[in-house]
Amino acid sequence: MAAEVPATRVALVTGAAQGIGEAIALQLADDGLDIALNDIPQKVDQLSAVAKVIEGKGRRALVVTGDVTVEEDVAAMVRKTAAELGALDVMVANAGIFLFKPLLDTSVDEWERMLAINGKGVFLSIKYAAKQMIEQGRGGRIICAASIAGLKGSQICGIYCASKFAVRGLVQSASQELKEYGITVNAYCPGFITTPMVALPGDETNGGTGATMKKLTKYPVEFGTVSQVACVVSYLAKPETAFVTGQSMILDGGLNMS
């Protein structure tokens, strides 16, 4: 189904207060999109700061706080985005958490929180974004945060791996269900990226943010940057990528290959 390309497109980015989500939001604004920014209510000041930067680029920005694990919150953020910015053309389900812990030391509560944010949050983002895009009738782009941990199991982060395998399954299934509407669904699979998520005690003495994680995991290549991830999401968000769907794009410096 050929989809009309609107003059101005609108993106909603979850987990946009910092790190990869912030970089994606800023890149999409540079690409000419208006941006709705989501994160938990406790990060509203950070979201507001990102919104000011986007407005300084000449784009519209909207702050929509909410918890991606709560169905009504996700439905509401999609409704508000469409109502106040005019549509929803690109959904970036970026919100996620990480846990560096052996399976035998992991609690059921930690398992449930991981799967709720990294799995259920992506499911709800796909569901409500797709409903809005189908109603609009002009296609769309849904882009989800997976990881190289969703390609191959790894010690000391087993439940994180499980959650990211789930994302890849959701992306592949949703891409099949939604292609008739001109909606593509893809994932980005970063390796370790230098963000607060990989910070550990000892980083200052080991060489900076992520250095302790790199040492503990014997990670063989340099960590990537948030801008490198944002550029891949920028590509997947383009109208011209209608022929790319169901894919999980790897960004890890060549450590894994598809």
Side-chain angles (χ1 to χ4, degrees), residues 9-31 33-40 43 46-48 50-51 54 60-68 73-74 77-78 80-82 85 87-96 121-122 125-126 129 133 141-145 188 226 229-230 233-234 237:
R9 297 192 302 148
V10 176
L12 168 56
V13 183
T14 69
Q18 63 188 29
I20 291 173
E22 177 184 1
I24 290 169
L26 296 177
Q27 178 61 57
L28 293 178
D30 285 340
D31 293 341
L33 282 75
D34 292 335
I35 312 294
L37 302 159
N38 162 262
D39 217 305
I40 55 176
K43 295 185 178 181
Q46 290 169 266
L47 289 175
S48 297
V50 178
I54 289 170
R60 293 183 298 165
L62 174 69
V63 171
V64 284
T65 59
D67 184 337
V68 295
D73 281 12
V74 178
M77 72 176 73
V78 169
K80 187 173 182 181
T81 298
L85 296 180
L88 177 61
D89 300 290
V90 178
M91 164 62 89
V92 184
N94 170 77
V122 170
S125 296
I126 293 172
M133 291 172 183
R141 302 284 177 265
I142 299 175
I143 307 163
C144 305
Y188 49 102
V226 293
V229 180
V233 175
S234 169

Side-chain angles (χ1 to χ4, degrees), residues 97 110-121 159 162-163 166:
I97 59 171
E110 287 169 331
W111 163 265
E112 290 180 345
R113 182 169 183 261
M114 179 70 68
L115 270 291
I117 296 172
N118 291 7
K120 181 182 177 184
I159 65 171
S163 73

Side-chain angles (χ1 to χ4, degrees), residues 78-79 82-83 86-88 127-137:
V78 169
R79 285 197 303 267
L88 177 61
K127 176 180 177 178
Y128 284 97
K131 284 177 176 286
Q132 177 63 36
M133 291 172 183
I134 291 168
E135 182 180 326
Q136 292 168 184

Side-chain angles (χ1 to χ4, degrees), residues 114-196:
M114 179 70 68
L115 270 291
I117 296 172
N118 291 7
K120 181 182 177 184
V122 170
F123 157 66
L124 291 173
S125 296
I126 293 172
K127 176 180 177 178
Y128 284 97
K131 284 177 176 286
Q132 177 63 36
M133 291 172 183
I134 291 168
E135 182 180 326
Q136 292 168 184
R138 64 190 198 193
R141 302 284 177 265
I142 299 175
I143 307 163
C144 305
S147 168
I148 60 168
L151 304 173
K152 181 174 66 175
S154 179
Q155 61 181 349
I156 320 182
C157 57
I159 65 171
Y160 179 73
C161 292
S163 73
K164 295 304 184 178
F165 269 86
V167 170
R168 291 182 59 236
L170 283 167
V171 163
Q172 291 177 18
S173 299
S175 72
Q176 296 302 300
E177 291 189 21
L178 299 176
K179 62 184 177 181
E180 68 178 283
Y181 303 105
I183 299 169
T184 66
V185 189
N186 293 290
Y188 49 102
C189 298
F192 282 120
I193 304 298
T194 304
T195 70

